[in-house]
Amino acid sequence: MFELSSSPSNTPPPTSSSPSNYLCLYFSMEPKLHLFFSALCFYLVSAYGNTLRTYIVQLHPHGVTSSSFPTKFLWHLSFLDQTLSSEEDSSSRLLYSYGSAMEGFAALLTETEIELLRGLPDVVAVRPDQLLQLQTTYSYKFLGLSSTTDGAWVKSGFGRGTIIGVLDTGVWPESPSFADQGMPPVPKRWRGMCQEGQNFKATSCNRKLIGARFFIKGHHVSSVPPSENMVDEYISPRDSSGHGTHTSSTAGGVSVPMASVLGNVAGVARGMAPGAHIAVYKVCWFNGCYSSDILAAIDVAIVDGVDVLSLSLGGFPLPLFDDSIAIGSFRAVEHGISVICAAGNNGPIQSSVANIAPWIATIGASTLDRKFPAIVRMGNGEYVYGESLFPGKSLPIAEKELELVYVTGGNSGSEFCFRGSLPKEKVKGKMVVCDRGVNGRAEKGVAVKEAGGAAMILANTEINLEEDSVDAHVLPATEIGYAEAVRLKTYMDTTSHPRARIVFGGTVIGTSRAPEVAQFSARGPNLYDSTILKPDVIAPGVNIIAAWPQNLGPTGLPEDTRRVNFTVMSGTSMACPHVSGIAALIHSAHPGWTPAAIKSAIMTSADASDHRGKPIMDGSKPAAVFAIGAGHVNPNRAIDPGLIYDIKPDEYVIHLCTLGYTRSEIFTITHRNVSCSEKLKMNRGFSLNYPSISVAFKHGVKSKMITRRLTNVGNPNSVYSVQVKPPEGVKVRVKPRRLIFKHINQSLSYRIWVISRKKTQTKKISYAEGQLTWMNAHNSFHRVRSPISVTWK
């Protein structure tokens, strides 16, 4: 995931030194840190070496032993008192005490101590801390948002009054995207704070950025030291890597005129919900995001009073009872908070989609119809298409014809342009071809420049194919797709003195098909729950322009001395805050709606076609539901969906029972002690009221019946008729075929019979897809569409 979403430089994480050595070194650099960490350092080095590790200990929320203690904190501490030796101060091992996202705590423990702890009353589960990774001047226009038409912005007051909580790398509060001119007062219900720290004062917050906190304890006790060429980290809510500033401004940044990246893509920058308030929770540091810190932030955000939580982070899919984000977000949803998460950047691998809990909105990434042409004119007169954000159009010297060189051979990694791998005598003054992969895209340009190269062509390999994430390189450069890379290298191999020049074309809008699925966007099917289709939707996530901190150049590399207020990034990290902002718009327009209702509105209004009315593409083929879910977000239709599929928290519990989860596993996830046999007996034939429909036929099963319930949020006296496009090899029956709603908020149910006509023995596993749409008889705007996914195993 680092290549696509940790920062524009795509710098890989460091991998040296022990956590304990790092802890002491880091404290020596920051002497003002809390004494807690000094004591912790002493334990790590002198007493326990590397045997201590962070664990998250989950407790029963109504534990029988809790009544013996005046506070939850002391109750949590008592478990350590019973586990550690009598001469130790148990508070020095405690990192966090949780009470909202989960009942329990995070602490440093050895494996022996963990075994003792597991045997104590009221201990529900013990999980090791997990390391997760991070996953615009135009995108709001691409999505149809406008201040002059009666769409989502006008109907929601631009998100006025809604609070978006962003869990990420922090924020650069001085960015013009977080100015508060014209913003309404801070909502009276807000209970958060502006936490002071290194280079961050309480006055850094305002009516736009109303809260900022940082959570570092899990990171500090588990991390290796930063490498020498990394940007210094701020021990505060201040963003040192840019990722959090970028995502926060995408979700809710205010209008900034004349925004550009080194003169490119000039225009008005706006977030999806420019009238919403933003609260930032810094949980990600130079090497990633620890689940103990994430859980602590969710715990606090629930109490603070956020309406939407945006998490552009994750990893690979996990069982829900092992997934701290799933557990914490369930409690958030119970409190009426919409939780929006990135699907992950491990596409196009099947079943790579992360953040798969049904109460989470899981967002994949798509492209825009905006291009940054930087075309290579080869010495034979032929052209190779590429793209770049290097400002070469205004620099004639950047388009000078140069000798081409591609340095291969040996074990130095010169074909990837590692730093120090390029012989100066071979590349000086030349245009260097670098294969994409292994090290960061922009970092390759630094390597070429350090070796004396004059320009670079970044060539995609078979892994990246035609994916076109652009960068504001430190020297004249362009990125070309795999097919074009083959053409370029063939020219070089058949020419004694190959030459080329780059022709920079600036910004071009509207000439390409869009949206398309980003190649890196994680794919389904859902690894742990075949009845829930993931991702839920896709949103713009490729070459997104948004706010950027002033401690970094546009590439995010320490060597880049240029300074900008905006830069470009790609990843599902960028797609996620688009939907977080849209969720904020819906919340502002419909403050009484549940998170499930908001999610339903986003899913059932999504587009299955691109802006030309043709199928959304995934490379060279039409995109499948495992790539796009319900489709591409359409905020102007989501704000007024007509009908919604609502879900109560209790229904998620029944759903977990249908999946065969044990009582203890369900309790771990939901803090609810249930008897699944009783739940299923009372809810025979239960199916979760999810906006998409996913059916898995196991061997010998030929038909399934599914129930859904629609609630009218449009007009009274509305009539809807169903239209079905059945998946291939499947017959679909719906009863009734018409729904007559007399009142607003009236709910009506229907049944779907999915009947397989396929001979399952022909393949080990196969898929088919279709769709079911409820059409308003008197209003063509209200089309409530659900994708149908069918799997044979």
Side-chain angles (χ1 to χ4, degrees):
M1 285 191 186
F2 265 86
E3 183 185 351
L4 291 164
S5 62
S6 64
S7 75
S9 65
N10 304 309
T11 307
T15 55
S16 62
S17 200
S18 71
S20 58
N21 288 340
Y22 160 54
L23 192 65
C24 292
L25 174 64
Y26 214 71
F27 290 156
S28 67
M29 293 188 292
E30 298 291 343
K32 294 183 180 179
L33 287 175
H34 198 281
L35 289 174
F36 166 83
F37 289 109
S38 299
L40 199 55
C41 176
F42 170 80
Y43 275 117
L44 280 168
V45 176
S46 59
Y48 293 94
N50 290 324
T51 60
L52 283 180
R53 184 177 176 185
T54 304
Y55 289 87
I56 296 171
V57 181
Q58 189 167 354
L59 305 176
H60 195 296
H62 308 294
V64 294
T65 60
S66 64
S67 60
S68 303
F69 299 90
T71 66
K72 286 290 183 75
F73 176 81
L74 291 176
W75 180 46
H76 296 171
L77 207 59
S78 73
F79 289 89
L80 294 179
D81 291 336
Q82 296 174 72
T83 305
L84 309 182
S85 60
S86 58
E87 63 268 17
E88 291 190 43
D89 177 8
S90 57
S91 64
S92 66
R93 297 276 204 100
L94 187 70
L95 301 182
Y96 293 110
S97 177
Y98 307 122
S100 298
M102 187 194 80
E103 188 67 61
F105 58 91
L108 283 167
L109 297 159
T110 66
E111 289 187 14
T112 303
E113 291 162 351
I114 282 298
E115 292 307 310
L116 291 171
L117 194 63
R118 281 195 172 105
L120 296 178
D122 296 331
V123 173
V124 174
V126 181
R127 295 183 300 277
D129 206 0
Q130 296 165 344
L131 177 62
L132 305 178
Q133 301 298 347
L134 296 163
Q135 307 284 328
T136 74
T137 57
Y138 178 66
S139 58
Y140 67 89
K141 293 181 183 177
F142 181 76
L143 293 173
L145 290 169
S146 170
S147 58
T148 59
T149 59
D150 188 26
W153 269 356
V154 173
K155 290 177 179 177
S156 69
F158 298 86
R160 185 182 178 95
T162 296
I163 303 169
I164 305 172
V166 182
L167 274 64
D168 213 294
T169 64
V171 66
W172 194 267
E174 295 83 8
S175 166
S177 291
F178 306 118
D180 66 353
Q181 185 175 358
M183 285 294 297
V186 176
K188 291 181 179 179
R189 59 189 171 85
W190 175 244
R191 297 182 295 276
M193 65 177 290
C194 203
Q195 184 180 2
E196 293 195 341
Q198 185 181 4
N199 287 15
F200 200 95
K201 296 180 179 179
T203 53
S204 298
C205 294
N206 56 23
R207 294 191 307 273
K208 163 57 73 174
L209 180 65
I210 64 172
R213 299 177 185 254
F214 66 101
F215 302 84
I216 194 171
K217 295 176 183 178
H219 162 79
H220 261 303
V221 299
S222 304
S223 297
V224 295
S227 60
E228 291 181 1
N229 64 343
M230 294 187 74
V231 176
D232 290 339
E233 187 70 83
Y234 298 103
I235 312 302
S236 73
R238 184 171 290 279
D239 185 7
S240 64
S241 73
H243 193 278
T245 299
H246 199 280
T247 57
S248 298
S249 66
T250 300
V254 299
S255 296
V256 181
M258 300 302 293
S260 71
V261 183
L262 302 173
N264 285 310
V265 296
V268 179
R270 279 175 174 155
M272 293 296 100
H277 305 282
I278 295 172
V280 167
Y281 301 85
K282 183 174 179 179
V283 298
C284 300
W285 305 83
F286 66 82
N287 72 326
C289 329
Y290 283 90
S291 56
S292 57
D293 295 330
I294 295 167
L295 202 55
I298 297 174
D299 199 63
V300 168
I302 292 172
V303 176
D304 283 350
V306 302
D307 301 303
V308 178
L309 276 175
S310 185
L311 288 80
S312 290
L313 45 90
F316 283 94
L318 292 169
L320 299 186
F321 52 81
D322 279 335
D323 187 343
S324 292
I325 291 178
I327 294 167
S329 64
F330 182 85
R331 300 297 291 276
V333 167
E334 282 188 307
H335 284 82
I337 300 167
S338 292
V339 181
I340 320 295
C341 292
N345 296 343
N346 293 310
I349 300 169
Q350 275 196 347
S351 295
S352 58
V353 61
N355 295 316
I356 56 176
W359 46 87
I360 289 173
T362 309
I363 316 303
S366 63
T367 63
L368 301 170
D369 62 352
R370 178 177 62 189
K371 299 292 183 182
F372 310 99
I375 298 168
V376 179
R377 187 183 188 278
M378 298 183 290
N380 61 5
E382 296 183 9
Y383 291 89
V384 170
Y385 182 78
E387 292 193 52
S388 178
L389 265 183
F390 182 82
K393 193 174 182 179
S394 58
L395 298 172
I397 194 171
E399 298 188 348
K400 182 181 178 182
E401 185 173 272
L402 300 168
E403 183 180 345
L404 276 170
V405 60
Y406 177 47
V407 183
T408 59
N411 298 316
S412 66
S414 57
E415 69 272 24
F416 293 107
C417 297
F418 292 149
R419 297 176 74 172
S421 70
L422 298 171
K424 290 188 177 182
E425 63 274 12
K426 290 186 178 182
V427 304
K428 187 175 182 180
K430 300 176 183 178
M431 185 178 295
V432 183
V433 177
C434 301
D435 285 339
R436 185 173 167 184
V438 188
N439 56 334
R441 299 186 303 269
E443 187 181 339
K444 297 173 190 289
V446 172
V448 171
K449 189 174 183 180
E450 287 176 343
M456 176 182 72
I457 298 175
L458 182 58
N460 278 8
T461 65
E462 283 185 282
I463 295 173
N464 308 104
L465 295 175
E466 310 311 313
E467 194 261 304
D468 58 350
S469 298
V470 302
D471 298 279
H473 292 281
V474 296
L475 80 173
T478 187
E479 179 180 346
I480 61 177
Y482 175 61
E484 299 287 63
V486 171
R487 286 184 56 222
L488 177 72
K489 291 175 182 177
T490 300
Y491 161 69
M492 295 178 68
D493 290 341
T494 56
T495 307
S496 56
H497 298 289
R499 298 180 67 82
R501 71 186 184 98
I502 303 173
V503 181
F504 293 93
T507 306
V508 177
I509 291 174
T511 60
S512 57
R513 285 186 64 174
E516 295 183 348
V517 180
Q519 191 202 9
F520 57 77
S521 187
R523 308 300 208 272
N526 189 326
L527 189 62
Y528 291 103
D529 185 355
S530 60
T531 66
I532 300 296
L533 179 64
K534 291 286 183 173
D536 290 306
V537 290
I538 56 172
V542 177
N543 300 333
I544 303 302
I545 310 296
W548 197 243
Q550 286 291 297
N551 66 318
L552 295 170
T555 62
L557 295 170
E559 297 82 6
D560 190 351
T561 58
R562 302 169 296 177
R563 292 295 179 263
V564 293
N565 281 321
F566 297 88
T567 199
V568 64
M569 295 185 80
S570 295
T572 55
S573 278
M574 284 64 251
C576 171
H578 278 86
V579 179
S580 302
I582 293 168
L585 297 179
I586 299 171
H587 183 273
S588 293
H590 309 285
W593 283 14
T594 65
I598 292 172
K599 180 177 172 182
S600 172
I602 291 169
M603 291 176 65
T604 60
S605 64
D607 295 325
S609 303
D610 65 19
H611 282 195
R612 298 182 182 179
K614 297 180 179 180
I616 293 172
M617 298 298 287
D618 183 4
S620 60
K621 63 184 186 299
V625 292
F626 295 138
I628 66 171
H632 193 267
V633 289
N634 184 330
N636 288 328
R637 289 193 59 230
I639 204 82
D640 182 15
L643 305 174
I644 51 101
Y645 294 91
D646 207 356
I647 303 174
K648 298 180 179 68
D650 282 346
E651 294 176 88
Y652 292 121
V653 178
I654 302 170
H655 176 69
L656 296 177
C657 285
T658 67
L659 298 179
Y661 277 60
T662 67
R663 181 190 288 247
S664 63
E665 289 168 346
I666 292 174
F667 190 85
T668 298
I669 299 164
T670 67
H671 276 189
R672 298 181 185 216
N673 191 11
V674 299
S675 166
C676 277
S677 59
E678 289 295 319
K679 285 280 186 185
L680 296 176
K681 189 176 180 180
M682 295 170 60
N683 297 275
R684 295 187 185 278
F686 175 85
S687 49
L688 188 66
N689 199 40
Y690 211 69
S692 58
I693 299 165
S694 185
V695 175
F697 287 115
K698 296 181 180 179
H699 183 70
V701 178
K702 292 292 184 181
S703 67
K704 289 203 172 184
M705 191 273 287
I706 298 165
T707 303
R708 289 290 188 269
R709 181 183 68 255
L710 281 164
T711 301
N712 180 29
V713 293
N715 300 316
N717 301 313
S718 294
V719 179
Y720 286 82
S721 298
V722 71
Q723 294 183 1
V724 179
K725 181 181 178 182
E728 184 180 353
V730 170
K731 180 180 179 181
V732 177
R733 290 174 49 215
V734 180
K735 192 173 183 179
R737 297 189 64 83
R738 291 175 81 236
L739 296 174
I740 303 172
F741 294 93
K742 295 183 178 180
H743 312 290
I744 296 175
N745 295 324
Q746 180 185 358
S747 295
L748 296 173
S749 296
Y750 66 95
R751 291 181 177 182
I752 314 155
W753 285 265
V754 183
I755 304 159
S756 173
R757 293 174 168 177
K758 188 177 181 68
K759 293 182 179 179
T760 56
Q761 59 266 35
T762 56
K763 289 184 179 180
K764 184 178 179 181
I765 187 168
S766 58
Y767 312 98
E769 61 185 68
Q771 62 183 34
L772 181 153
T773 308
W774 288 97
M775 305 289 294
N776 189 306
H778 307 294
N779 177 359
S780 61
F781 182 81
H782 289 150
R783 305 182 304 276
V784 185
R785 188 179 65 85
S786 296
I788 303 173
S789 166
V790 177
T791 305
W792 290 269
K793 293 184 179 180

